[in-house]
């Protein structure tokens, strides 16, 4: 089980479908951010993440898009206020879109710290990659 799968299962529990697809999307998002050095605002999940997940999982683009949106929403819905603080770094009331969970969880998997904690200490990460260096 990958680190991403373990994280998703810690949030959702023993669910059946979508975990590997969502884990793959988190891995790709992390790769784009921290190895390809893409700025978060430059990553278009429908252009950069969904097609790559579809290719790697041998699923259609439409199926991947639906599954990732469902899983992003499900993760958000299952997180308690305390868990939001743990994984995200703030007790947000809502997310703008399910794609936000990809970024939050990619940062958490990569740094083992919540998104907002990392961004507040390293705001440049929002605008440029960090060359793959961990904190």
């Amino acid at each position: 089980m990958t680190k991403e799968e373990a994280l998703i299962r810690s949030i959702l529990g023993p669910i059946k479908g979508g975990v590997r697809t969502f884990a793959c999307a988190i891995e790709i998002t992390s790769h784009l951010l921290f190895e390809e050095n893409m700025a978060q605002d430059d990553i278009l999940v429908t252009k950069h993440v969904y097609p790559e997940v579809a290719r790697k999982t041998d699923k259609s683009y439409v199926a991947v898009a639906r599954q990732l949106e469902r899983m992003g929403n499900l993760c958000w819905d299952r997180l308690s206020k305390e868990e939001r603080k743990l994984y995200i770094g703030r007790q947000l009331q809502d997310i703008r879109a399910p794609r936000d969970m990809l970024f939050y969880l990619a940062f958490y998997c990569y740094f083992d710290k919540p998104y907002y904690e990392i961004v507040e200490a390293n705001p440049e990460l929002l605008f440029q990659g960090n060359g793959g260096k961990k904190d």
Side-chain angles (χ1 to χ4, degrees):
M1 180 181 316
T2 67
K3 185 175 186 176
E4 292 80 7
E5 286 178 89
L7 176 61
I8 295 164
R9 291 191 186 285
S10 75
I11 294 169
L12 299 178
I15 68 166
K16 190 172 183 174
V19 173
R20 287 196 176 122
T21 303
F22 199 56
C24 182
I26 294 168
E27 287 176 30
I28 291 166
T29 302
S30 182
H31 175 80
L32 293 171
L33 286 166
F34 307 119
E35 293 176 36
E36 296 294 324
N37 298 318
M38 287 184 73
Q40 183 174 326
D41 288 344
D42 293 340
I43 297 173
L44 306 172
V45 294
T46 57
K47 180 180 178 182
H48 299 111
V49 178
Y50 291 7
E52 186 66 14
V53 172
R55 187 186 67 73
K56 286 187 171 192
T57 61
D58 200 30
K59 295 180 180 178
S60 74
Y61 176 92
V62 173
V64 164
R66 276 188 296 219
Q67 199 166 38
L68 294 179
E69 287 183 27
R70 220 176 6 250
M71 292 297 289
N73 284 326
L74 185 59
C75 282
W76 174 259
D77 291 342
R78 293 275 177 95
L79 288 173
S80 68
K81 287 183 179 183
E82 294 79 26
E83 289 171 322
R84 288 179 188 164
K85 180 80 171 155
L86 172 69
Y87 295 123
I88 299 171
R90 290 189 182 162
Q91 291 184 8
L92 303 175
Q93 297 301 313
D94 201 1
I95 54 175
R96 293 171 295 160
R99 72 183 282 282
D100 292 350
M101 289 305 296
L102 289 176
F103 292 105
Y104 296 147
L105 298 179
F107 269 74
Y108 190 84
C109 282
Y110 191 80
F111 291 105
D112 291 319
K113 293 181 182 178
Y115 175 87
Y116 283 104
E117 185 178 319
I118 296 300
V119 168
E120 286 171 8
N122 306 284
E124 69 277 3
L125 289 176
L126 294 178
F127 309 106
Q128 62 186 21
N130 70 344
K133 297 176 188 166
K134 288 193 177 187
D135 213 9

